[in-house]
Amino acid sequence: ITVIPSDIVPTQPVATNPALVYLASLPSDRSRYVQRLSLNAIARLLDMTVETMPWHELRYQHTQALRARMIDSGLAPASVNRMLAALRGVLKQAWRLGLMGADDYQRAIDLQPVRGSRPPRGRSLGDAEVAALLKACDNTPTGILDAVLVALGVTCGLRRAEMAALDLRDYDAANGVLTVRGKGRKTRLVYITNGARVAMDDWLALRGDADGALLCHVYRNGRIGVGERITGGAIYNRLTRLARKAGVADVSPHDLRRTCASNLLDAGTDISTVAGVLGHANVATTQRYDRRGERAKQRAAALLDIPYKRGANNDE
């Protein structure tokens, strides 16, 4: 079954391609981007593209073969399941468009999820690492912006795309309340307190009160490009440079988000509240951000003493 059938031919006109209809139905640019990658990967298994793949011609034997090929390729179970979800979504659109019969559709989407797990991606930062990052932020526009990025990640759990999308009007400076537009056009409130609020106040004192992007591009000479919205890629690069300067290894914006989740859970916050802070619709998603178990395993390993000393075992 791992052999992809050769009876699939690219005959579907692009104008009625159910994959394009499926992508258009997704709620956000990020979702469309991620699932486009998934569909590209599926189409490449048949040496095709999203546009040339005849999705409506896929049948049960074809989708099972595709699933087996994904597994054989060494993809993580979560990646395979995401691709299968995209495939089901496309086939549903093919049925809705009248390109596929109900029986063929139901059989083709009868795909079992792939079981298994891998070690969690990324990591959460320790208190000393967060302190080192903030200490490396000097009292310049660049340093203060970097401090705000760290603060928004660690205390509010914001995604880098959410940081980049913030406008000045989204921040209630009097009460430290930030309105965040997240995935799926969902809006939530987060609260900036303590040192994070001080950093934001310092940034606003430099940025001014002009309408537009809350977090702006800062030039090398320190000039703030008010109205020039920072990008998600720029946020990633700024944190990478800051981590290198602080001597902290392997820090990404999402690691700050994982740190927020783990710290809140460590402090006894219930997981439903943490899910609300992070903007998760399902607490099962939040559980994947919990790094407490890994820290507990590290502490447990430290309790086991192996009485080996370098050179001592070679003594006659």
Side-chain angles (χ1 to χ4, degrees):
I1 197 170
T2 59
V3 177
I4 299 298
S6 60
D7 57 333
I8 296 292
V9 293
T11 59
Q12 180 66 18
V14 171
T16 56
N17 192 321
L20 301 182
V21 177
Y22 163 71
L23 292 172
S25 73
L26 296 176
S28 68
D29 290 341
R30 178 63 181 172
S31 297
R32 287 187 283 273
Y33 172 76
V34 170
Q35 292 302 61
R36 174 96 189 195
L37 293 179
S38 296
L39 295 178
N40 277 334
I42 294 171
R44 282 198 300 270
L45 294 175
L46 293 174
D47 295 323
M48 298 181 193
T49 67
V50 171
E51 287 75 17
T52 62
M53 179 84 161
W55 302 96
H56 67 296
E57 294 183 4
L58 293 174
R59 298 296 180 262
Y60 174 77
Q61 66 270 25
H62 303 140
T63 57
Q64 290 293 336
L66 286 167
R67 176 182 179 276
R69 179 63 66 83
M70 295 175 203
I71 295 172
D72 291 344
S73 68
L75 289 169
S79 298
V80 174
N81 289 329
R82 183 178 63 248
M83 293 167 69
L84 292 177
L87 180 58
R88 291 190 193 95
V90 171
L91 295 179
K92 187 172 187 177
Q93 294 300 334
W95 166 68
R96 285 177 167 172
L97 291 168
L99 302 172
M100 193 174 193
D103 287 344
D104 287 333
Y105 161 64
Q106 290 295 338
R107 293 189 184 99
I109 65 169
D110 187 14
L111 300 164
Q112 292 297 315
V114 178
R115 305 298 180 187
S117 62
R118 289 187 176 182
R121 292 180 4 179
R123 67 189 187 93
S124 64
L125 278 64
D127 292 342
E129 291 178 302
V130 174
L133 289 175
L134 292 173
K135 186 176 181 180
C137 299
D138 54 31
N139 194 31
T140 65
T142 292
I144 292 173
L145 176 59
D146 287 345
V148 170
L149 297 178
V150 173
L152 291 178
V154 172
T155 66
C156 302
L158 267 59
R159 304 174 178 94
R160 55 175 167 160
E162 293 171 342
M163 295 185 200
L166 292 171
D167 288 328
L168 181 66
R169 59 183 171 82
D170 295 324
Y171 183 52
D172 177 359
N175 298 297
V177 181
L178 191 62
T179 300
V180 180
R181 296 179 294 279
K183 287 185 175 181
R185 302 188 182 94
K186 297 175 183 175
T187 301
R188 69 186 189 276
L189 301 180
V190 296
Y191 300 88
I192 303 179
T193 60
N194 303 322
R197 190 168 179 178
V198 174
M200 181 64 79
D201 289 344
D202 286 348
W203 168 250
L204 291 177
L206 294 173
R207 180 204 174 280
D209 57 2
D211 291 338
L214 176 62
L215 305 179
C216 311
H217 178 69
V218 176
Y219 290 90
R220 291 185 178 181
N221 62 4
R223 183 176 70 84
I224 298 175
V226 177
E228 299 178 27
R229 187 178 304 277
I230 196 171
T231 66
I235 292 173
Y236 186 96
N237 292 335
R238 293 186 73 90
L239 288 175
T240 298
R241 288 194 295 268
L242 179 64
R244 191 180 303 119
K245 179 180 178 182
V248 177
D250 302 326
V251 176
S252 72
H254 229 72
D255 288 335
L256 302 182
R257 183 169 163 84
R258 295 181 182 100
T259 303
C260 175
S262 289
N263 287 351
L264 288 174
L265 291 168
D266 271 338
T269 308
D270 68 89
I271 196 166
S272 295
T273 301
V274 178
V277 171
L278 298 183
H280 288 156
N282 192 326
V283 295
T285 305
T286 310
Q287 289 172 338
R288 297 203 298 266
Y289 286 69
D290 185 1
R291 295 297 188 268
R292 291 177 300 170
E294 295 306 309
R295 292 201 290 267
K297 287 191 288 186
Q298 288 178 331
R299 290 193 295 269
L303 298 175
L304 303 175
D305 182 36
I306 302 298
Y308 174 86
K309 296 182 180 178
R310 183 172 292 111
N313 290 353
N314 296 324
D315 293 341
E316 295 295 336

